[in-house]
Amino acid sequence: MWGSLLRERALSAAIEYDHSAILGWFRDHSSFYSDRIGSRQVWEQVRPLEKSDVAEVPVSVDDSIREARTSGTSGFQVSIRNNLRERRFRRALLYRPQLFYDLPAEVHQVVFVDGNWCAEAGMAPKLFEYGGVRYRTWFAGVAADVGQIHSLLRSLRPQLIRGISSGIVRFIDQADDSLRNLGVRYLAPGGEFLQPEWRKTMHDAFGATVLDCYGSTESGAIAWQCPLCRRYHANVDEIVLEADADGLLVTPLFVSSQPLLRYRLGDIVSFDAGSADCEIRLPTITIQQARRDDWVIGHDGRRVSPLSFQFEQIPHLDAWRLHQNHDGSLCLYFESVHPDIVAKELGRQLADAVPNQPFEVHEGIWRLGRGGKFKRVSSDLT
Ligand SMILES: [Zn+2]
């Protein structure tokens, strides 16, 4: 049902927000928001919500609420809570671009997700019907065995591949056979800034159309690259987006369990001047700077790609962040329920990836207080 609504809205003229009505809704939500908003009627005068404020936002009581943690690659992990209806709507919004893809009525898709597990072709897929298309989905962990991913793709011949950009690139880099005969028509990566070289790698490897998706755990899908005009249409009908100079502010209008008002996501984004020559009427944006991992500089001056760090394969490792200091030394932060074993293995793999560079391994990714949106690998040298 949401498919047809989201299609219709995408094709109709841009919407006007009733800012004072939205502020009124937030004011009524809780004393947290009524205190923040006070008597202000002007939207821009309401102080943006920072990551450190999110834990204070009251959450409605609802048995269907589930918590998701952001990746913490900004150095600050945030817990986001959505109820069942919101999670379903988020999925509908995530699939919105595919309403305009040229896909058959039944689609096989493989999604690259965090982790080292990979489905086998004989396993039952996850089913989802949307916009007149039946999606059959299998998952591949970005750190899974490359041969196993390749065999999954060979058996399934998915029309669509989605998921974590760097994971797809890692797979391409390590797969030695051609991927052009697998029948893939679209790659719709997300989760990270899609660098031009990654886009080219994907396109060349699969001979498929690459259409980027931009979103966040906090807000859901924000914008998507259009198969018709190739610009990024923004989901402004569902999320109030403000291209603030200090970073993008988002207000998702479909979230009521833990609502976020003018939440600072922090990416640098600008609205394009003029509308695209496209039947999709949603305004378009350009992502200037977002979630791009830094390269690390080796002891010998060699640049080490952030993709060299595949710590996900280490058992019991829950999260990690790597930072390079001004003096070249490295600090690896991690989370694990078995810190002693994991720290040892992390140290061994880090020394292999960046030989002769001094390093420390610390438990607790929160201990790295550095900002910078979406970076898992950050460096003071690049
Ligand atoms: Zn378009």
Side-chain angles (χ1 to χ4, degrees):
M1 69 177 175
W2 280 321
S4 45
L5 177 80
L6 289 172
R7 187 202 308 267
E8 235 169 76
R9 284 210 198 131
L11 296 171
S12 51
I15 63 146
E16 293 282 319
Y17 303 117
D18 185 343
H19 282 124
S20 82
I22 301 172
L23 288 183
W25 185 89
F26 274 95
R27 213 182 264 118
D28 291 344
H29 172 264
S30 56
S31 57
F32 174 83
Y33 277 118
S34 59
D35 290 351
R36 278 184 90 83
I37 300 166
S39 57
R40 290 177 195 87
Q41 294 294 334
V42 178
W43 180 268
E44 289 77 12
Q45 287 175 359
V46 177
R47 186 158 50 95
L49 192 70
E50 304 294 338
K51 288 189 172 62
S52 52
D53 300 329
V54 171
E56 293 167 45
V57 177
V59 183
S60 351
V61 179
D62 180 337
D63 287 346
S64 74
I65 286 180
R66 299 283 176 275
E67 180 177 310
R69 301 279 281 173
T70 59
S71 58
T73 48
S74 60
F76 210 112
Q77 251 190 337
V78 170
S79 289
I80 295 299
R81 295 169 185 89
N82 286 145
N83 63 27
L84 180 62
R85 185 181 188 278
E86 290 160 357
R87 291 198 300 279
R88 287 189 173 153
F89 188 79
R90 285 173 65 116
R91 181 169 63 173
L93 202 54
L94 180 69
Y95 276 70
R96 184 183 225 176
Q98 279 127 253
L99 294 169
F100 304 96
Y101 288 14
D102 180 20
L103 287 169
E106 177 148 322
V107 168
H108 285 187
Q109 70 169 335
V110 170
V111 180
F112 281 72
V113 294
D114 248 330
N116 54 15
W117 181 86
C118 180
E120 285 168 26
M123 290 176 174
K126 195 172 171 185
L127 298 176
F128 178 47
E129 306 240 2
Y130 182 79
V133 173
R134 189 175 162 87
Y135 291 91
R136 300 164 68 85
T137 306
W138 290 262
F139 297 92
V142 294
D145 178 72
V146 168
Q148 210 178 333
I149 301 175
H150 202 164
S151 122
L152 181 72
L153 297 179
R154 267 197 304 264
S155 311
L156 296 175
R157 300 187 56 79
Q159 292 91 346
L160 177 62
I161 290 180
R162 293 179 31 240
I164 301 174
S165 314
S166 61
I168 299 172
V169 170
R170 168 190 171 261
F171 167 70
I172 293 168
D173 284 348
Q174 296 186 9
D176 35 17
D177 278 351
S178 168
L179 304 171
R180 286 193 159 241
N181 54 1
L182 295 173
V184 177
R185 284 162 68 177
Y186 294 100
L187 285 119
E192 288 162 298
F193 181 74
L194 185 63
Q195 304 173 38
E197 37 306 4
W198 287 5
R199 182 187 290 279
K200 186 175 181 326
T201 300
M202 289 180 194
H203 174 266
D204 292 352
F206 287 96
T209 304
V210 181
L211 297 169
D212 190 20
C213 300
Y214 169 57
S216 73
T217 305
E218 294 93 321
S219 64
I222 296 170
W224 42 280
Q225 210 186 2
C226 173
L228 310 172
C229 72
R230 300 301 165 102
R231 294 212 218 174
Y232 287 74
H233 289 290
N235 293 325
V236 293
D237 50 339
E238 302 300 337
I239 308 172
V240 181
L241 295 179
E242 298 172 76
D244 191 83
D246 291 331
L248 182 66
L249 301 176
V250 296
T251 304
L253 298 174
F254 56 90
V255 176
S256 57
S257 50
Q258 185 197 35
L260 302 174
L261 174 60
R262 307 195 78 213
Y263 173 74
R264 192 183 304 284
L265 202 51
D267 294 340
I268 305 300
V269 160
S270 59
F271 278 92
D272 298 334
S275 55
D277 181 16
C278 185
E279 66 180 80
I280 294 162
R281 302 310 302 152
L282 295 166
T284 61
I285 60 168
T286 298
I287 304 154
Q288 314 282 355
Q289 202 184 321
R291 60 184 79 187
R292 185 198 287 261
D293 277 333
D294 289 340
W295 289 57
V296 161
I297 308 299
H299 184 68
D300 52 3
R302 186 174 58 96
R303 282 160 50 81
V304 180
S305 158
L307 289 176
S308 318
F309 308 105
Q310 296 292 339
F311 301 129
E312 286 78 6
Q313 283 162 336
I314 300 175
H316 309 300
L317 177 68
D318 295 325
W320 61 273
R321 282 210 61 192
L322 178 65
H323 182 70
Q324 182 163 44
N325 299 309
H326 279 293
D327 63 4
S329 65
L330 298 164
C331 230
L332 181 53
Y333 301 83
F334 74 100
E335 305 278 351
S336 171
V337 287
H338 296 292
D340 297 343
I341 312 167
V342 166
K344 211 179 227 176
E345 185 57 23
L346 282 172
R348 198 185 62 74
Q349 293 197 13
L350 183 58
D352 276 355
V354 197
N356 302 319
Q357 194 68 279
F359 67 83
E360 288 174 24
V361 178
H362 289 297
E363 202 185 344
I365 61 171
W366 296 82
R367 293 176 62 183
L368 173 52
R370 190 178 186 273
K373 184 64 188 158
F374 297 126
K375 289 183 179 180
R376 181 138 70 169
V377 180
S378 57
S379 175
D380 290 333
L381 298 177
T382 47

